[in-house]
Tab-separated table of all heavy atoms in Angstrom:
chain	number	residue	atom	x	y	z
A	697	LEU	N	-6.058	-1.229	-8.640
A	697	LEU	CA	-6.378	0.107	-9.134
A	697	LEU	C	-5.334	0.675	-10.086
A	697	LEU	O	-5.498	1.799	-10.573
A	697	LEU	CB	-6.557	1.058	-7.940
A	697	LEU	CG	-7.830	0.843	-7.108
A	697	LEU	CD1	-7.738	1.564	-5.777
A	697	LEU	CD2	-9.067	1.297	-7.884
A	698	ALA	N	-4.299	-0.084	-10.359
A	698	ALA	CA	-3.224	0.431	-11.216
A	698	ALA	C	-3.735	0.818	-12.598
A	698	ALA	O	-3.243	1.778	-13.205
A	698	ALA	CB	-2.107	-0.602	-11.331
A	699	TYR	N	-4.702	0.097	-13.107
A	699	TYR	CA	-5.231	0.368	-14.445
A	699	TYR	C	-6.738	0.583	-14.416
A	699	TYR	O	-7.422	0.378	-15.415
A	699	TYR	CB	-4.880	-0.788	-15.386
A	699	TYR	CG	-3.396	-1.073	-15.437
A	699	TYR	CD1	-2.856	-2.148	-14.737
A	699	TYR	CD2	-2.543	-0.241	-16.162
A	699	TYR	CE1	-1.485	-2.400	-14.768
A	699	TYR	CE2	-1.168	-0.486	-16.193
A	699	TYR	CZ	-0.654	-1.563	-15.492
A	699	TYR	OH	0.700	-1.801	-15.516
A	700	ARG	N	-7.252	0.994	-13.260
A	700	ARG	CA	-8.692	1.206	-13.125
A	700	ARG	C	-8.952	2.515	-12.412
A	700	ARG	O	-8.216	2.891	-11.494
A	700	ARG	CB	-9.339	0.067	-12.314
A	700	ARG	CG	-9.292	-1.289	-12.979
A	700	ARG	CD	-9.828	-2.357	-12.037
A	700	ARG	NE	-9.878	-3.675	-12.679
A	700	ARG	CZ	-8.846	-4.508	-12.733
A	700	ARG	NH1	-7.678	-4.164	-12.179
A	700	ARG	NH2	-8.966	-5.681	-13.327
A	701	GLU	N	-10.027	3.161	-12.785
A	701	GLU	CA	-10.421	4.408	-12.131
A	701	GLU	C	-11.138	4.134	-10.822
A	701	GLU	O	-10.956	4.842	-9.829
A	701	GLU	CB	-11.301	5.220	-13.071
A	701	GLU	CG	-11.646	6.598	-12.562
A	701	GLU	CD	-12.429	7.412	-13.581
A	701	GLU	OE1	-12.779	6.857	-14.649
A	701	GLU	OE2	-12.690	8.596	-13.306
A	702	TRP	N	-11.989	3.101	-10.827
A	702	TRP	CA	-12.776	2.737	-9.653
A	702	TRP	C	-12.596	1.247	-9.368
A	702	TRP	O	-12.102	0.500	-10.216
A	702	TRP	CB	-14.258	3.047	-9.878
A	702	TRP	CG	-14.545	4.479	-10.186
A	702	TRP	CD1	-14.905	5.009	-11.393
A	702	TRP	CD2	-14.486	5.589	-9.276
A	702	TRP	NE1	-15.079	6.364	-11.296
A	702	TRP	CE2	-14.838	6.744	-10.002
A	702	TRP	CE3	-14.179	5.708	-7.919
A	702	TRP	CZ2	-14.890	8.019	-9.422
A	702	TRP	CZ3	-14.231	6.974	-7.331
A	702	TRP	CH2	-14.577	8.102	-8.076
A	703	MET	N	-13.048	0.805	-8.202
A	703	MET	CA	-12.832	-0.577	-7.799
A	703	MET	C	-13.611	-1.574	-8.653
A	703	MET	O	-13.120	-2.657	-8.962
A	703	MET	CB	-13.235	-0.760	-6.327
A	703	MET	CG	-12.223	-0.252	-5.321
A	703	MET	SD	-10.647	-1.140	-5.380
A	703	MET	CE	-11.179	-2.808	-5.041
A	704	VAL	N	-14.848	-1.213	-9.029
A	704	VAL	CA	-15.709	-2.140	-9.769
A	704	VAL	C	-16.284	-1.421	-10.984
A	704	VAL	O	-16.964	-0.397	-10.838
A	704	VAL	CB	-16.865	-2.662	-8.888
A	704	VAL	CG1	-17.750	-3.608	-9.685
A	704	VAL	CG2	-16.323	-3.362	-7.649
A	705	GLY	N	-16.000	-1.936	-12.161
A	705	GLY	CA	-16.559	-1.337	-13.369
A	705	GLY	C	-16.030	0.061	-13.614
A	705	GLY	O	-14.912	0.410	-13.230
A	706	ASP	N	-16.872	0.877	-14.227
A	706	ASP	CA	-16.474	2.229	-14.626
A	706	ASP	C	-17.126	3.311	-13.784
A	706	ASP	O	-17.099	4.490	-14.158
A	706	ASP	CB	-16.838	2.462	-16.103
A	706	ASP	CG	-16.107	1.497	-17.034
A	706	ASP	OD1	-14.932	1.184	-16.755
A	706	ASP	OD2	-16.737	1.049	-18.015
A	707	THR	N	-17.743	2.914	-12.667
A	707	THR	CA	-18.481	3.895	-11.873
A	707	THR	C	-18.102	3.810	-10.403
A	707	THR	O	-17.584	2.798	-9.913
A	707	THR	CB	-19.997	3.678	-12.008
A	707	THR	OG1	-20.324	2.342	-11.570
A	707	THR	CG2	-20.460	3.858	-13.443
A	708	TYR	N	-18.405	4.856	-9.711
A	708	TYR	CA	-18.216	4.992	-8.265
A	708	TYR	C	-19.288	4.168	-7.561
A	708	TYR	O	-20.480	4.366	-7.781
A	708	TYR	CB	-18.343	6.475	-7.939
A	708	TYR	CG	-18.292	6.903	-6.502
A	708	TYR	CD1	-17.341	6.412	-5.617
A	708	TYR	CD2	-19.186	7.878	-6.045
A	708	TYR	CE1	-17.295	6.865	-4.303
A	708	TYR	CE2	-19.139	8.351	-4.744
A	708	TYR	CZ	-18.193	7.839	-3.870
A	708	TYR	OH	-18.140	8.296	-2.573
A	709	THR	N	-18.874	3.217	-6.722
A	709	THR	CA	-19.820	2.311	-6.081
A	709	THR	C	-19.578	2.235	-4.578
A	709	THR	O	-18.641	2.839	-4.037
A	709	THR	CB	-19.718	0.881	-6.656
A	709	THR	OG1	-18.470	0.299	-6.226
A	709	THR	CG2	-19.793	0.888	-8.182
A	710	ILE	N	-20.411	1.442	-3.929
A	710	ILE	CA	-20.264	1.241	-2.489
A	710	ILE	C	-18.938	0.569	-2.140
A	710	ILE	O	-18.464	0.707	-1.007
A	710	ILE	CB	-21.439	0.436	-1.903
A	710	ILE	CG1	-21.593	-0.925	-2.603
A	710	ILE	CG2	-22.726	1.237	-1.974
A	710	ILE	CD1	-22.622	-1.841	-1.946
A	711	VAL	N	-18.328	-0.138	-3.076
A	711	VAL	CA	-17.014	-0.731	-2.791
A	711	VAL	C	-15.976	0.368	-2.603
A	711	VAL	O	-15.137	0.302	-1.702
A	711	VAL	CB	-16.589	-1.705	-3.899
A	711	VAL	CG1	-15.184	-2.229	-3.633
A	711	VAL	CG2	-17.564	-2.868	-3.985
A	712	ASP	N	-16.022	1.391	-3.431
A	712	ASP	CA	-15.104	2.519	-3.264
A	712	ASP	C	-15.325	3.190	-1.907
A	712	ASP	O	-14.361	3.581	-1.240
A	712	ASP	CB	-15.313	3.528	-4.391
A	712	ASP	CG	-15.081	2.923	-5.760
A	712	ASP	OD1	-13.947	2.504	-6.039
A	712	ASP	OD2	-16.049	2.846	-6.540
A	713	MET	N	-16.575	3.316	-1.500
A	713	MET	CA	-16.879	3.900	-0.194
A	713	MET	C	-16.309	3.037	0.927
A	713	MET	O	-15.737	3.547	1.903
A	713	MET	CB	-18.387	4.049	-0.024
A	713	MET	CG	-19.030	4.986	-1.010
A	713	MET	SD	-20.831	5.029	-0.786
A	713	MET	CE	-21.323	5.936	-2.250
A	714	ALA	N	-16.466	1.721	0.791
A	714	ALA	CA	-15.962	0.808	1.813
A	714	ALA	C	-14.443	0.873	1.903
A	714	ALA	O	-13.867	0.854	3.004
A	714	ALA	CB	-16.421	-0.613	1.508
A	715	VAL	N	-13.784	0.937	0.754
A	715	VAL	CA	-12.323	1.057	0.728
A	715	VAL	C	-11.896	2.380	1.355
A	715	VAL	O	-10.961	2.432	2.166
A	715	VAL	CB	-11.806	0.941	-0.718
A	715	VAL	CG1	-10.347	1.378	-0.823
A	715	VAL	CG2	-11.969	-0.491	-1.223
A	716	TRP	N	-12.574	3.458	1.001
A	716	TRP	CA	-12.236	4.777	1.526
A	716	TRP	C	-12.308	4.817	3.042
A	716	TRP	O	-11.448	5.435	3.697
A	716	TRP	CB	-13.186	5.809	0.923
A	716	TRP	CG	-13.009	7.206	1.469
A	716	TRP	CD1	-12.082	8.133	1.089
A	716	TRP	CD2	-13.806	7.830	2.490
A	716	TRP	NE1	-12.240	9.293	1.811
A	716	TRP	CE2	-13.300	9.136	2.677
A	716	TRP	CE3	-14.894	7.414	3.248
A	716	TRP	CZ2	-13.844	10.024	3.604
A	716	TRP	CZ3	-15.434	8.295	4.179
A	716	TRP	CH2	-14.913	9.584	4.346
A	717	GLY	N	-13.310	4.151	3.624
A	717	GLY	CA	-13.475	4.195	5.070
A	717	GLY	C	-12.209	3.848	5.819
A	717	GLY	O	-11.800	4.551	6.747
A	718	TRP	N	-11.558	2.746	5.430
A	718	TRP	CA	-10.336	2.340	6.111
A	718	TRP	C	-9.088	2.994	5.526
A	718	TRP	O	-8.203	3.430	6.260
A	718	TRP	CB	-10.189	0.816	6.085
A	718	TRP	CG	-10.880	0.191	7.245
A	718	TRP	CD1	-12.060	-0.505	7.234
A	718	TRP	CD2	-10.462	0.245	8.612
A	718	TRP	NE1	-12.405	-0.884	8.508
A	718	TRP	CE2	-11.444	-0.454	9.372
A	718	TRP	CE3	-9.370	0.799	9.270
A	718	TRP	CZ2	-11.342	-0.592	10.759
A	718	TRP	CZ3	-9.276	0.669	10.652
A	718	TRP	CH2	-10.259	-0.019	11.381
A	719	CYS	N	-8.999	3.090	4.223
A	719	CYS	CA	-7.748	3.550	3.613
A	719	CYS	C	-7.512	5.038	3.788
A	719	CYS	O	-6.373	5.505	3.689
A	719	CYS	CB	-7.703	3.155	2.141
A	719	CYS	SG	-7.647	1.357	1.926
A	720	ALA	N	-8.568	5.797	4.066
A	720	ALA	CA	-8.381	7.199	4.418
A	720	ALA	C	-7.663	7.337	5.753
A	720	ALA	O	-7.161	8.417	6.087
A	720	ALA	CB	-9.728	7.919	4.467
A	721	ASN	N	-7.602	6.239	6.503
A	721	ASN	CA	-6.923	6.218	7.806
A	721	ASN	C	-5.591	5.481	7.740
A	721	ASN	O	-5.119	4.951	8.741
A	721	ASN	CB	-7.834	5.560	8.845
A	721	ASN	CG	-9.039	6.414	9.177
A	721	ASN	OD1	-8.980	7.288	10.029
A	721	ASN	ND2	-10.144	6.171	8.493
A	722	ILE	N	-4.966	5.461	6.571
A	722	ILE	CA	-3.726	4.720	6.392
A	722	ILE	C	-2.625	5.192	7.343
A	722	ILE	O	-1.799	4.397	7.798
A	722	ILE	CB	-3.239	4.796	4.926
A	722	ILE	CG1	-2.089	3.815	4.702
A	722	ILE	CG2	-2.889	6.216	4.536
A	722	ILE	CD1	-1.672	3.697	3.236
A	723	ASP	N	-2.618	6.489	7.678
A	723	ASP	CA	-1.592	6.999	8.586
A	723	ASP	C	-1.660	6.279	9.925
A	723	ASP	O	-0.625	5.961	10.525
A	723	ASP	CB	-1.779	8.496	8.811
A	723	ASP	CG	-1.589	9.310	7.551
A	723	ASP	OD1	-1.243	8.721	6.507
A	723	ASP	OD2	-1.785	10.536	7.597
A	724	ARG	N	-2.858	6.032	10.410
A	724	ARG	CA	-3.061	5.361	11.693
A	724	ARG	C	-2.767	3.871	11.607
A	724	ARG	O	-2.281	3.264	12.555
A	724	ARG	CB	-4.513	5.584	12.133
A	724	ARG	CG	-4.855	5.054	13.514
A	724	ARG	CD	-4.281	5.893	14.596
A	724	ARG	NE	-4.892	5.604	15.892
A	724	ARG	CZ	-4.317	5.862	17.050
A	724	ARG	NH1	-3.121	6.425	17.090
A	724	ARG	NH2	-4.932	5.581	18.186
A	725	VAL	N	-3.047	3.290	10.445
A	725	VAL	CA	-2.894	1.843	10.277
A	725	VAL	C	-1.443	1.455	9.984
A	725	VAL	O	-0.890	0.552	10.616
A	725	VAL	CB	-3.814	1.326	9.151
A	725	VAL	CG1	-3.628	-0.182	8.948
A	725	VAL	CG2	-5.272	1.631	9.459
A	726	LEU	N	-0.835	2.149	9.026
A	726	LEU	CA	0.497	1.753	8.553
A	726	LEU	C	1.562	2.832	8.708
A	726	LEU	O	2.735	2.560	8.457
A	726	LEU	CB	0.422	1.342	7.078
A	726	LEU	CG	-0.442	0.121	6.750
A	726	LEU	CD1	-0.471	-0.116	5.249
A	726	LEU	CD2	0.055	-1.120	7.483
A	727	GLY	N	1.148	4.036	9.087
A	727	GLY	CA	2.104	5.126	9.213
A	727	GLY	C	2.079	6.050	8.013
A	727	GLY	O	1.734	5.642	6.900
A	728	VAL	N	2.458	7.299	8.223
A	728	VAL	CA	2.394	8.321	7.177
A	728	VAL	C	3.224	7.932	5.962
A	728	VAL	O	2.839	8.166	4.810
A	728	VAL	CB	2.870	9.678	7.736
A	728	VAL	CG1	2.877	10.739	6.639
A	728	VAL	CG2	1.993	10.122	8.895
A	729	GLU	N	4.378	7.316	6.204
A	729	GLU	CA	5.273	6.975	5.106
A	729	GLU	C	4.690	5.938	4.158
A	729	GLU	O	5.129	5.799	3.010
A	729	GLU	CB	6.606	6.460	5.656
A	729	GLU	CG	6.545	5.128	6.385
A	729	GLU	CD	5.980	5.198	7.790
A	729	GLU	OE1	5.738	6.334	8.273
A	729	GLU	OE2	5.776	4.134	8.403
A	730	ALA	N	3.657	5.209	4.589
A	730	ALA	CA	3.072	4.159	3.751
A	730	ALA	C	2.325	4.725	2.550
A	730	ALA	O	2.110	4.019	1.566
A	730	ALA	CB	2.132	3.287	4.578
A	731	ARG	N	1.934	5.988	2.608
A	731	ARG	CA	1.188	6.578	1.499
A	731	ARG	C	1.932	6.452	0.172
A	731	ARG	O	1.329	6.199	-0.867
A	731	ARG	CB	0.897	8.055	1.782
A	731	ARG	CG	-0.182	8.264	2.821
A	731	ARG	CD	-0.404	9.739	3.113
A	731	ARG	NE	-1.591	9.907	3.941
A	731	ARG	CZ	-2.800	10.150	3.474
A	731	ARG	NH1	-2.972	10.269	2.161
A	731	ARG	NH2	-3.830	10.282	4.280
A	732	GLN	N	3.234	6.646	0.212
A	732	GLN	CA	4.006	6.609	-1.024
A	732	GLN	C	4.114	5.200	-1.605
A	732	GLN	O	4.438	5.036	-2.786
A	732	GLN	CB	5.412	7.159	-0.773
A	732	GLN	CG	6.235	6.336	0.208
A	732	GLN	CD	7.565	6.985	0.548
A	732	GLN	OE1	7.895	8.054	0.038
A	732	GLN	NE2	8.326	6.339	1.412
A	733	ASP	N	3.815	4.191	-0.809
A	733	ASP	CA	3.900	2.808	-1.282
A	733	ASP	C	2.653	2.370	-2.059
A	733	ASP	O	2.687	1.334	-2.724
A	733	ASP	CB	4.101	1.854	-0.097
A	733	ASP	CG	5.393	2.126	0.651
A	733	ASP	OD1	6.355	2.605	0.012
A	733	ASP	OD2	5.441	1.867	1.872
A	734	PHE	N	1.581	3.142	-1.962
A	734	PHE	CA	0.316	2.744	-2.578
A	734	PHE	C	-0.272	3.915	-3.383
A	734	PHE	O	-1.358	4.418	-3.067
A	734	PHE	CB	-0.672	2.282	-1.503
A	734	PHE	CG	-0.128	1.228	-0.582
A	734	PHE	CD1	0.268	1.553	0.712
A	734	PHE	CD2	0.018	-0.080	-1.012
A	734	PHE	CE1	0.780	0.590	1.564
A	734	PHE	CE2	0.529	-1.055	-0.168
A	734	PHE	CZ	0.924	-0.725	1.122
A	735	PRO	N	0.414	4.356	-4.428
A	735	PRO	CA	-0.021	5.568	-5.143
A	735	PRO	C	-1.378	5.442	-5.815
A	735	PRO	O	-2.149	6.415	-5.849
A	735	PRO	CB	1.093	5.784	-6.174
A	735	PRO	CG	1.708	4.418	-6.365
A	735	PRO	CD	1.629	3.774	-5.016
A	736	HIS	N	-1.698	4.276	-6.362
A	736	HIS	CA	-2.975	4.107	-7.049
A	736	HIS	C	-4.129	4.111	-6.044
A	736	HIS	O	-5.194	4.698	-6.295
A	736	HIS	CB	-2.977	2.817	-7.861
A	736	HIS	CG	-1.781	2.677	-8.749
A	736	HIS	ND1	-1.489	3.586	-9.752
A	736	HIS	CD2	-0.770	1.757	-8.769
A	736	HIS	CE1	-0.367	3.232	-10.363
A	736	HIS	NE2	0.078	2.120	-9.781
A	737	LEU	N	-3.917	3.467	-4.927
A	737	LEU	CA	-4.926	3.452	-3.871
A	737	LEU	C	-5.121	4.852	-3.301
A	737	LEU	O	-6.251	5.292	-3.066
A	737	LEU	CB	-4.506	2.476	-2.775
A	737	LEU	CG	-5.417	2.371	-1.550
A	737	LEU	CD1	-6.831	1.992	-1.946
A	737	LEU	CD2	-4.841	1.375	-0.548
A	738	MET	N	-4.027	5.580	-3.079
A	738	MET	CA	-4.137	6.930	-2.534
A	738	MET	C	-4.814	7.876	-3.527
A	738	MET	O	-5.495	8.825	-3.133
A	738	MET	CB	-2.760	7.445	-2.147
A	738	MET	CG	-2.152	6.760	-0.923
A	738	MET	SD	-3.166	6.971	0.588
A	738	MET	CE	-4.044	5.388	0.641
A	739	ARG	N	-4.640	7.621	-4.808
A	739	ARG	CA	-5.351	8.421	-5.808
A	739	ARG	C	-6.856	8.294	-5.610
A	739	ARG	O	-7.592	9.288	-5.643
A	739	ARG	CB	-4.960	7.963	-7.220
A	739	ARG	CG	-5.866	8.519	-8.322
A	739	ARG	CD	-5.453	8.044	-9.698
A	739	ARG	NE	-5.254	6.613	-9.803
A	739	ARG	CZ	-6.229	5.724	-9.922
A	739	ARG	NH1	-7.493	6.112	-9.927
A	739	ARG	NH2	-5.952	4.429	-10.041
A	740	LEU	N	-7.324	7.053	-5.406
A	740	LEU	CA	-8.746	6.826	-5.165
A	740	LEU	C	-9.190	7.499	-3.867
A	740	LEU	O	-10.222	8.185	-3.829
A	740	LEU	CB	-9.031	5.327	-5.097
A	740	LEU	CG	-10.476	4.940	-4.770
A	740	LEU	CD1	-11.373	5.183	-5.979
A	740	LEU	CD2	-10.579	3.500	-4.312
A	741	VAL	N	-8.432	7.304	-2.809
A	741	VAL	CA	-8.787	7.864	-1.505
A	741	VAL	C	-8.855	9.385	-1.570
A	741	VAL	O	-9.805	10.006	-1.066
A	741	VAL	CB	-7.761	7.406	-0.446
A	741	VAL	CG1	-7.939	8.196	0.856
A	741	VAL	CG2	-7.906	5.910	-0.182
A	742	ASP	N	-7.857	9.989	-2.195
A	742	ASP	CA	-7.838	11.449	-2.274
A	742	ASP	C	-8.965	11.974	-3.153
A	742	ASP	O	-9.545	13.027	-2.868
A	742	ASP	CB	-6.484	11.924	-2.809
A	742	ASP	CG	-5.349	11.662	-1.835
A	742	ASP	OD1	-5.638	11.437	-0.642
A	742	ASP	OD2	-4.182	11.668	-2.263
A	743	ARG	N	-9.272	11.249	-4.213
A	743	ARG	CA	-10.356	11.679	-5.099
A	743	ARG	C	-11.686	11.673	-4.370
A	743	ARG	O	-12.475	12.620	-4.479
A	743	ARG	CB	-10.414	10.770	-6.324
A	743	ARG	CG	-11.478	11.175	-7.330
A	743	ARG	CD	-11.442	10.288	-8.548
A	743	ARG	NE	-12.395	10.731	-9.558
A	743	ARG	CZ	-12.598	10.108	-10.714
A	743	ARG	NH1	-11.899	9.019	-11.011
A	743	ARG	NH2	-13.485	10.562	-11.579
A	744	ILE	N	-11.940	10.609	-3.621
A	744	ILE	CA	-13.183	10.547	-2.850
A	744	ILE	C	-13.178	11.612	-1.759
A	744	ILE	O	-14.200	12.262	-1.496
A	744	ILE	CB	-13.371	9.147	-2.248
A	744	ILE	CG1	-13.551	8.107	-3.359
A	744	ILE	CG2	-14.581	9.124	-1.294
A	744	ILE	CD1	-13.599	6.672	-2.873
């Protein structure tokens, strides 16, 4: 996601939804501090 707005192509798709399902729970999976390690991914998660 470093150079992409969405996971696939130029539009919001079911892949973004699938990613959001787990990555919105990053605090539970990797801890709160992990958010700063994945800024591009968190941009997508926060946008959704």
